[in-house]
Amino acid sequence: MLTPKDLFSILVVGAFWGCTNPFLRRGAATATAGVDKDDKDDSPNTTKKETKNQEHTKSTTSSSSLGSTVLSSLQKFRRWEVWVPYLFNQCGSLFFYYLLANSNLTVAVPVCNALSLVFSIVTSFYLGERVDKPLRAIFGATLVTGGVAICVAASSSSSSTTTTTNEER
């Protein structure tokens, strides 16, 4: 059976994971825009030699796709818009590890992931992100919430049946 402590942990994990996803998405988009802007050098004082050196550097960097991917990721992570939500997301992961050690996995894992989805939808809505099909999102969140309720109810009833059976022996 899920204890109130487990239910609180599940709610915290779902909230941390779900609420940080839109902020991570927004931070990554902002960081990508900043990196792209830094790559373009439109200053009129650039000489032809400097332009050739920049083009050579860009072609060398683009030839190593793994290196450019790592560099791009590190440049994104420098920005606080990315790493602050990332730290909160990792706090949710710490609660999740606690939950894995102390609760019923067949309930905790799907419920955490489902609540993460619901919190992500709600947070995206409050941040003003455009949802392509809002009725589908609301319907999906409702189905997920109903599924979570069924999982918790089934877990509660199976654990009470087990307790009754053990008491009869």
Side-chain angles (χ1 to χ4, degrees):
M1 180 174 176
L2 291 174
T3 64
K5 196 175 188 179
D6 292 340
L7 289 174
F8 176 74
S9 294
I10 288 172
L11 190 64
V12 167
V13 169
F16 272 127
W17 281 352
C19 291
T20 56
N21 285 337
F23 288 105
L24 284 167
R25 203 172 26 248
R26 181 179 280 185
T30 304
T32 301
V35 168
D36 290 345
K37 192 171 73 173
D38 291 343
D39 285 346
K40 296 177 183 173
D41 187 9
D42 297 330
S43 64
N45 298 331
T46 305
T47 64
K48 287 184 180 181
K49 186 175 182 179
E50 289 173 344
T51 305
K52 283 185 179 180
N53 286 339
Q54 289 172 353
E55 288 173 4
H56 175 69
T57 304
K58 287 182 183 179
S59 68
T60 306
T61 306
S62 65
S63 66
S64 170
S65 62
L66 178 62
S68 63
T69 302
V70 171
L71 182 63
S72 173
S73 297
L74 289 175
Q75 286 176 339
K76 287 179 187 178
F77 199 69
R78 287 187 328 188
R79 303 178 63 92
W80 70 270
E81 294 96 343
V82 175
W83 62 264
V84 169
Y86 179 77
L87 288 177
F88 280 108
N89 191 292
Q90 294 306 303
C91 289
S93 295
L94 291 175
F95 275 101
F96 185 68
Y97 289 132
Y98 167 80
L99 199 60
L100 290 177
N102 298 317
S103 68
N104 184 358
L105 292 180
T106 58
V107 175
V109 173
V111 172
C112 283
N113 288 321
L115 288 176
S116 174
L117 174 69
V118 172
F119 276 108
S120 186
I121 290 169
V122 170
T123 305
S124 295
F125 174 76
Y126 281 119
L127 288 176
E129 289 184 6
R130 187 173 86 65
V131 178
D132 291 334
K133 298 178 182 177
L135 291 178
R136 272 188 169 176
I138 292 169
F139 183 66
T142 304
L143 287 176
V144 166
T145 305
V148 166
I150 290 170
C151 284
V152 171
S155 171
S156 297
S157 67
S158 69
S159 64
S160 65
T161 304
T162 305
T163 305
T164 306
T165 306
N166 288 339
E167 289 174 358
E168 291 173 356
R169 292 180 189 174

